[in-house]
């Protein structure tokens, strides 16, 4: 079971804070540092000092880390034109020496679009599908050849399809709860399917749908990696768990039900139950980015048992 650190910087974080978390992620032996792609806070937080851009952040971290994978859960298709996104991700992949992964989703948070003047189209899923075709198509085009795409929402003619990423293939992540279209898109384009903030039972059902869709697409179901994203709150004792839950404005019982919370042994046990239904990778949503001791505890007493 790979453990990856997943952050939500729109809730309030500077680049320096994210750098400290990314360096701790690397030093403590975690597999990757991922971040959300949002421009507006959610819930009862001030969000200060304001949002940071996902791909600018990852470009900086690409030059200041050496081992960990870097990526997004999920880049919003509404934020960027697909040709521009393909250039951005390829460049950051080059800057990192081939450590980037692209999580791409349709975009959903209408308020942040209104706050920053970003168009929020009614039909988002069809745009996501075209973006996936374009981004992967640009990267796959042989050097010296051109790429064309003529869709409903995007039109590319004689694109040189440059630059290329450092990796022969940048891993693409697709995720979500949709029962039909999401598994189909994952089967067509994804290297990894991520089930965010879902129960073991719901995850098992959705993994089954994705596996069936992959086989219908002519792929082996095991060609995809299956993962979950869950909030994490671990403590050495009940008092430490309660303190960490209070710091993120959550209740312990709710976190134990909907996330990975409690003692290291409790968290290891719950991760094991996700592994039993086919989850191979866990994105640990860390909400208090100043609590690096939390990461050290997870590394020494959770990750060590899983490896």
């Amino acid at each position: 079971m790979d453990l990856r650190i997943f952050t939500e910087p729109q809730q309030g974080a500077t680049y320096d804070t994210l750098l400290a978390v990314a360096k701790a992620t690397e030093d403590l032996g975690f597999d990757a540092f991922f971040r959300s792609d949002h421009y507006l806070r959610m819930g009862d937080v001030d969000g200060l000092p304001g949002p940071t851009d996902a791909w600018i952040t990852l470009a900086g971290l690409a030059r200041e880390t050496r081992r960990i994978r870097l990526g997004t859960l999920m880049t919003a298709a509404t934020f960027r034109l697909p040709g521009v996104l393909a250039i951005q991700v390829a460049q950051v992949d080059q800057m990192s020496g081939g450590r980037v992964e692209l999580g791409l989703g349709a975009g959903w948070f209408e308020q942040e679009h209104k706050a920053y003047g970003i168009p929020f189209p009614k039909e988002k899923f069809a745009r996501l599908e075209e973006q996936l075709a374009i981004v992967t198509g640009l990267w796959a085009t042989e050097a010296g050849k051109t790429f064309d795409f003529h869709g409903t929402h995007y039109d590319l003619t004689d694109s040189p399809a440059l630059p290329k990423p450092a990796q022969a293939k940048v891993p693409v992540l697709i995720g979500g709860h949709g029962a039909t279209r999401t598994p189909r898109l994952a089967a067509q384009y994804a290297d990894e399917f991520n089930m965010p903030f879902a129960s073991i039972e719901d995850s098992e059902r959705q993994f089954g749908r994705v596996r069936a869709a992959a086989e219908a697409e002519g792929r082996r179901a095991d060609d995809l990696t299956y993962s979950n994203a869950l909030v994490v709150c671990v403590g050495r004792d009940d008092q430490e768990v309660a303190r960490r839950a209070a710091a993120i404005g959550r209740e312990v019982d709710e976190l134990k039900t909907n996330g990975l919370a409690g003692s290291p042994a409790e968290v290891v046990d719950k991760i094991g139950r996700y592994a039993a239904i086919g989850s191979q990778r866990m994105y640990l949503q860390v909400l208090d980015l100043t609590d690096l001791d939390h990461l050290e505890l997870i590394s020494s007493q959770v990750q060590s048992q899983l490896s």
Side-chain angles (χ1 to χ4, degrees):
M1 175 68 74
D2 291 334
L3 295 187
R4 296 181 159 190
I5 301 303
F6 170 41
T7 62
E8 301 274 4
Q10 76 278 355
Q11 300 302 90
T14 65
Y15 173 76
D16 286 339
T17 300
L18 295 172
L19 175 60
V21 174
K23 286 188 171 180
T25 297
E26 184 156 87
D27 293 343
L28 293 169
F30 293 104
D31 182 61
F33 173 95
F34 270 59
R35 61 156 292 164
S36 60
D37 189 15
H38 286 293
Y39 292 129
L40 195 66
R41 70 188 186 280
M42 301 172 194
D44 188 23
V45 297
D46 58 27
L48 295 175
T52 51
D53 181 82
W55 286 101
I56 291 176
T57 296
L58 295 177
L61 297 180
R63 306 303 292 175
E64 300 196 71
T65 57
R66 292 293 176 265
R67 178 188 59 80
I68 51 173
R69 308 289 294 176
L70 301 166
T72 51
L73 282 183
M74 300 284 188
T75 286
T78 49
F79 289 173
R80 299 165 181 88
L81 296 171
V84 174
L85 179 61
I87 292 169
Q88 290 173 321
V89 177
Q91 184 177 5
V92 178
D93 194 51
Q94 291 172 1
M95 293 167 70
S96 72
R99 293 183 285 124
V100 160
E101 304 185 10
L102 172 64
L104 188 59
W108 61 271
F109 190 18
E110 185 174 7
Q111 189 176 349
E112 71 185 334
H113 293 74
K114 291 180 177 178
Y116 286 95
I118 304 167
F120 189 69
K122 182 177 181 180
E123 178 46 73
K124 292 177 288 296
F125 201 90
R127 290 174 181 271
L128 170 62
E129 188 164 5
E130 290 192 12
Q131 286 222 1
L132 285 162
I134 292 165
V135 171
T136 58
L138 287 167
W139 291 338
T141 299
E142 293 180 20
K145 295 187 177 180
T146 58
F147 176 81
D148 290 77
F149 181 90
H150 306 293
T152 301
H153 304 286
Y154 304 103
D155 197 285
L156 287 74
T157 301
D158 291 335
S159 173
L162 297 171
K164 300 300 184 191
Q167 297 174 89
K169 187 179 192 311
V170 172
V172 172
L173 290 73
I174 294 173
H177 297 251
T180 305
R181 293 190 297 178
T182 297
R184 176 178 59 79
L185 270 194
Q188 286 181 274
Y189 295 106
D191 300 282
E192 178 178 336
F193 178 78
N194 179 263
M195 189 62 168
F197 312 113
S199 68
I200 294 168
E201 295 75 19
D202 288 346
S203 297
E204 184 174 24
R205 279 191 289 272
Q206 187 70 332
F207 289 166
R209 295 184 188 113
V210 174
R211 295 179 72 89
E215 290 172 354
E217 186 69 19
R219 300 178 65 182
R220 294 191 315 118
D222 288 342
D223 286 346
L224 281 80
T225 296
Y226 299 86
S227 64
N228 286 88
L230 292 167
V231 63
V232 67
C233 180
V234 187
R236 294 172 181 84
D237 53 37
D238 290 345
Q239 291 74 25
E240 192 168 73
V241 175
R243 175 176 62 79
R244 288 199 163 109
I248 60 174
R250 303 279 284 270
E251 297 293 330
V252 172
D253 288 345
E254 179 270 323
L255 286 169
K256 287 188 176 185
T257 298
N258 298 316
L260 300 170
S263 68
E266 288 178 285
V267 171
V268 168
D269 177 73
K270 190 164 186 181
I271 291 175
R273 285 185 276 145
Y274 276 92
I277 57 94
S279 186
Q280 300 158 284
R281 182 172 289 157
M282 191 67 67
Y283 292 83
L284 306 177
Q285 186 196 43
V286 177
L287 295 176
D288 184 355
L289 299 181
T290 65
D291 186 2
L292 299 184
D293 288 342
H294 192 198
L295 299 186
E296 193 283 327
L297 176 63
I298 296 168
S299 172
S300 64
Q301 297 194 34
V302 175
Q303 181 169 241
S304 61
Q305 295 189 59
L306 295 171
S307 59

